[in-house]
Amino acid sequence: MDSRRSNWRNFWLLWLTGIVIIVALVSQNDRLVTDIAPQGMLDHQVAATAQRVEDIHASWRAAGAMDFFRIAILFDLLFIVLYSTGGVMGGRLIRQAARSGLLRALAGLAILAYAAFGILDFTETFCQAIQGFVTGGNDTLAAIAATAQQPKMAAFFIGFPSLVVALAWFGLERRRSA
């Protein structure tokens, strides 16, 4: 198999596996919904203080959901690696092969957005993981996670559609040249 096909195969495998993982996690978020955390994991992501994190953890322990939270964090870390790496890879593959300068620019935007998303989401989730597995609520870690959450979401909502559009455009460009 030539390296271009292998690279495309790897892109699809990483990116789509990441998407499957996050869809599964989001579909199970209701397991983390409590009176204290009515939005489940999202409440933990934006909990900017140690006390808020501790209150959420206490509600999850009372609901028997703390183990699920820890498992979800591990899968979230896996998602971040697969999805971000796949997104950057896909953007690079399109950027390298595209004819149109505008398409190369769009692929470049996708690369930047996926890289930013990966860094920000890993920072946020790693801070959550330390609090969930090691320290409990920690003001510094909670503040870092909460600060990373909004720009992470912005990067996601720039990266995903820019890559999807770039993929569709690239597919059309390839068909026209065939």
Side-chain angles (χ1 to χ4, degrees), residues 150-171:
Q150 285 187 344
K152 169 200 84 169
M153 293 305 293
F156 178 85
F157 286 113
I158 292 169
F160 183 78
S162 65
L163 185 59
V164 169
V165 169
L167 285 164
W169 186 348
F170 183 66

Side-chain angles (χ1 to χ4, degrees), residues 77-151:
L77 289 167
L78 180 61
F79 153 74
I80 295 163
V81 170
L82 298 175
Y83 179 75
S84 298
T85 302
V88 168
M89 182 183 289
R92 274 192 76 224
L93 290 166
I94 294 168
R95 189 167 167 77
Q96 290 170 345
R99 287 195 183 129
S100 165
L102 195 52
L103 177 53
R104 284 192 299 275
L106 183 60
L109 176 64
I111 292 167
L112 292 174
Y114 271 89
F117 174 80
I119 291 166
L120 291 163
D121 199 14
F122 187 82
T123 299
E124 173 196 78
T125 306
F126 189 69
C127 288
Q128 289 180 275
I130 292 171
Q131 292 177 93
F133 285 95
V134 182
T135 65
N138 176 289
D139 281 326
T140 301
L141 295 172
I144 291 169
T147 300
Q149 206 275 337
Q150 285 187 344

